[in-house]
Amino acid sequence: MQGGRTHLSHLLLWLLLAQTSADLPMCKESDYHFEYTECDVLGSRWRVAVPNKADICTGLPDPVKGTQCTFSCSEGEYLNMQSQQCQKCAAGTYSLGTGVAFDEWDSLPSGFVTHGMNTNDRDVHTDCSNSTWTPKGDYVSSNTDECTATLSYAVSLKKPGTVSFEYFYPDGSIYFEFFVQNDQCQSTDSENRWMKISESNWSQYKVELSSGNNVLYWRTTAYSLQGSAVKPVMLRNIAISGVAYTSECFHCKPGTHSAKPGSARCTPCPAQTYSNKGATVCHQCEEDKYAEAGSGSCKPRPACTNSDYFYTHTPCDSEGKTQLMYKWNEPKICSETVEGAVKLPASGEKQTCPPCNPGFFVTNSSTCEPCDEGFYSNGTACTKCPVGTEPVVDFEYKWWNIMPNNMKSSIFRREFSDSEHSTAWEVAGEYVYTTPGDQDSDYLMLTLSVPGYRLPQSMATDSERSELSRITFVFETMCTADCKFYFLAGYNQWNNDVVEEWKGSNRKQSYSYLIQRNSSTSFTWTFQRTEDFNVERKYSADVAKIYSIHITNVIGGVASQCRRCALSSAKAGSTCVPCPTGHYMVSGTGVCKSCPPNTFIKADHAVGEAACVQCGPNTERNKAHTACLSDCALDVQTTGGALLHYDFSPLANVTGFHSSPRFTNKGLRYFHRFNLGLCGKEGRVPATCVDNVTESGREVKGYVCQSTVVPSDIRSQSVVSSQPFLIGDSLIGVTTDTTLSSISSPKWMFPSASGLLDVIFYYKSSETTQACKQGRSAAIRLRCNPTVTAKDLITLPSNCSEGTCDGCTFHFLWESQHACPLCTKNHYREIVSACIQGIQRTTYVWQQPLQCYGGESLPAQKVSACVTLDFWLKFGVSTGTIAAVLLISISCYFWKKTRKLQYKYSKLMMNSGDKECELPTADSCAIMEGEDAEDDIMYLTKKSFFTKKMKSFSRERTSDGFDSVPLKSSSSHQQREEEDSDDA
């Protein structure tokens, strides 16, 4: 019903226009074109005529019922709107049928939109308005700075279709993604939007599209942390299918043609031919001109120079001779007839063939063939390895008469990669060298394919440190421009797995690279004379030479020598038996001898006592006797004689942290991420750093590694990681010394006010680079800090913010409570409280500052009974009082005794005074001392109770049988005695 109303409104509008335009001339076919109305719910539509310009004519054709909305034409056809029938495209044109194609990029085609934006932190102000996709004629190129460039195209599909395109993505320093949003703004899966690195040519990509509205997005963000040039991403031949129809055919672009009607594609013209737009045939260039494949015009041939030809050698003949041959660079574009042109030198000069490479022998036809398995050769004849030895298989190339079967050369020229090129490297007897390319910006690549690696039996151990393989080559570059020479491992130049890079001229030198993973499939040497695109060749004389290549322990290799091994209990058919674990081979004897205690077997050779390497301090060798490990426990003797016990096992798990943010010249923020695996026994989990930018997923594993991470919303990931490398893959030792095995960790890098020494873990990496010929190393300082509860408080030196000052030795400070020694009784003291109400408490507290963690815990508070001060005070007062009373009583007693003696003495003196020279006579002979009652009576003026008692006591008979007699007259005394007797 809704669709019917729409159609009725269109008809009324058409009638209204017809009435108002009655005075205009009648329309011709050139004045209008046909279009379809929107489809109704039933899938129907109308064909209406639309004037090309308003109010110029009248009498437009009436609307007619159109084709069904699902109607489409095949490839090579278009929909004739007049007849509403499909027709074949004419010669010189093409059609995708239900699609559109974009293969000309002189400017952005209609419907494409590109813009640049800043996805970095808000506080970084970078102008990204010019960071867009740029048309380059045959392709469109992305940005190469640190802005995000987006190319988008919106299309409405009437049925499910596809989008396909070709891309060239050579540099992993760019994030490149393609995704589609539908009319609900839902994007494709984030995994599928990650574009793969191109190998050495344009890559094809195709995605299914749903019916309805689709918005296609190509998005790139580049980053250059080292300041080197970044290669852009390039797109071409974008094709979209699933549109309702195409009402016209597209003309073939210059350099292509279609000879037959109904073509879906145009065919590129071959070399030395050209074509114009909409061509049906390609035209041959004139004799003095040339054209590359896909050219729209011919160019004049330049005069030939010495850079337009190269020399090579023929294979050796039966006489052992080789011919020196000169050849033009193909395709040949120079002219020999132009004034000043050089002629090709005469070929055919015979020279003596160079010797065969080690491991090969000379056949009867003077060719070089590899020795059979179990044989070795120095390049002349093959000799069987003696019993008790094994061949050392490798590839060693130092003579270059022919290109080895496992090596090939190629030229890649990104602008015209469809062209046929000659080889890039040619043999020249003593070396292999780069030939002049078509352009100075060509990449001249030499690739060595390797099937895999295998250690000799005498070295085949499950080792963390075994030297799986090593490649060594001698090279030289001679340049007048800004040439670059790359060495790549594992993949090729386009995967950005560059191991080393040299710029400009370099003297003859040797380079060695250690292979640690059995995953590399090839090695590539790439030479580029200049990055600037030049049509004319200016630097063809710039050259790179490789004199020799040697790679060890290669599966399928040849042997140049045999290694002697142990002779004991050989298996059937085996001529070599390896030494037992922890033993080395005595040179020249084949006898195995045990290594000293706590030593491991050096990975690069197991012959001689030098193979035994002493483990570093506080480390123990592993079960395979191939490396030293730390069990995360350590005992340290202090200068005061105390023994400190450490347990670093809580820090043993792999820990990662970021450096402080850094910025490129364009303002892109990035970090260095470090992963540390401090210690651990057999089977420990190593620290791993990965590259998740490219599809290679390259990773490195060891104790310490580093990668570069960039926070970004590219590919809907919060962080992307790249450029991983190992800092340490072997543990050298654990000590408090600041130097160990030429690795130094100065105290000034991490000043400390504590008297407790830091524990330092020393690591070494076997990977060597041009800058670090001895490999990288690391020193991790563990510092006790009981206030740090987090396990990963790791800092870098303040004066070396990237963790290293020389690029080879890295320094880290790890503060943690788990870096403290275990607590013992020496780390706490006791406090005894006062005795309160008969209770005394003993409390234990830590010594300050606290420099321990874990170990012994503080003892619980102790409670004991005690006697209070109040009790002793009362006891003392009571005792003092009693003593005072007793003392007073004794004093009074002796005072009275003294008075009595004074009285008696006075009385005697008085009596002696009456009769001189006579002593007084005693009144009684029975008076005892202390019983003179009368003396008491005469002395005391009052009779106290005490006096009465004394008197009554004086009248009693004493214990010795005598009666006490007072000092009175004898008559009185006698009278008393009589009375007493009468009573008796």
Side-chain angles (χ1 to χ4, degrees), residues 545-759:
K545 296 180 180 180
I546 296 179
Y547 292 89
S548 65
I549 299 174
H550 184 203
I551 180 169
T552 63
N553 303 333
V554 184
I555 296 175
V558 293
S560 60
Q561 60 177 327
C562 296
R563 174 185 286 109
R564 191 170 185 87
C565 52
L567 301 174
S568 61
S569 63
K571 295 181 180 179
S574 173
T575 60
C576 178
V577 178
C579 287
T581 300
H583 290 66
Y584 65 93
M585 188 183 306
V586 179
S587 301
T589 64
V591 177
C592 294
K593 187 175 180 181
S594 176
C595 280
N598 207 32
T599 60
F600 66 94
I601 301 294
K602 197 172 184 179
D604 50 2
H605 68 88
V607 178
E609 192 172 0
C612 303
V613 179
Q614 184 69 37
C615 284
N618 300 300
T619 62
E620 296 182 356
R621 67 184 176 192
N622 60 358
K623 295 178 181 178
H625 294 68
T626 54
C628 297
L629 305 175
S630 168
D631 61 357
C632 303
L634 178 68
D635 291 338
V636 175
Q637 190 81 31
T638 64
T639 54
L643 186 63
L644 301 179
H645 304 277
Y646 290 86
D647 181 11
F648 302 119
S649 55
L651 307 177
N653 295 332
V654 176
T655 303
F657 72 100
H658 291 138
S659 67
S660 57
R662 305 187 65 80
F663 297 89
T664 62
N665 294 334
K666 292 286 187 177
L668 176 68
R669 185 169 66 113
Y670 68 94
F671 300 86
H672 290 313
R673 176 169 181 83
F674 298 93
N675 286 337
L676 312 177
L678 188 68
C679 53
K681 296 183 178 179
E682 306 277 349
R684 66 178 183 84
V685 178
T688 305
C689 297
V690 301
D691 177 2
N692 65 3
V693 176
T694 63
E695 80 284 355
S696 64
R698 177 174 173 265
E699 62 180 24
V700 295
K701 294 183 178 182
Y703 283 98
V704 188
C705 62
Q706 177 193 310
S707 60
T708 301
V709 296
V710 180
S712 176
D713 61 351
I714 301 301
R715 298 199 317 272
S716 301
Q717 296 185 10
S718 59
V719 169
V720 287
S721 174
S722 64
Q723 303 173 359
F725 63 85
L726 267 177
I727 299 176
D729 57 6
S730 59
L731 178 61
I732 303 301
V734 185
T735 178
T736 56
D737 297 336
T738 56
T739 302
L740 181 65
S741 297
S742 73
I743 307 174
S744 179
S745 177
K747 293 182 179 179
W748 56 262
M749 281 194 167
F750 302 104
S752 173
S754 172
L756 187 64
L757 294 177
D758 297 333
V759 177

Side-chain angles (χ1 to χ4, degrees), residues 133 136 139 141-144 168-171 174 220 230-234 414:
W133 289 76
K136 296 287 187 179
Y139 57 89
S141 177
S142 74
N143 65 319
T144 57
F168 182 58
Y169 178 19
D171 200 332
I174 292 184
T220 59
V230 178
K231 302 177 183 66
V233 177
M234 293 174 284
R414 67 191 186 201

Side-chain angles (χ1 to χ4, degrees), residues 455 459 463 465-470 514-515 552-553 603-604:
L455 289 170
M459 296 165 57
S463 169
R465 290 173 45 86
S466 292
E467 185 171 299
L468 182 63
S469 179
R470 181 184 293 271
L514 180 64
I515 303 160
T552 63
N553 303 333
D604 50 2

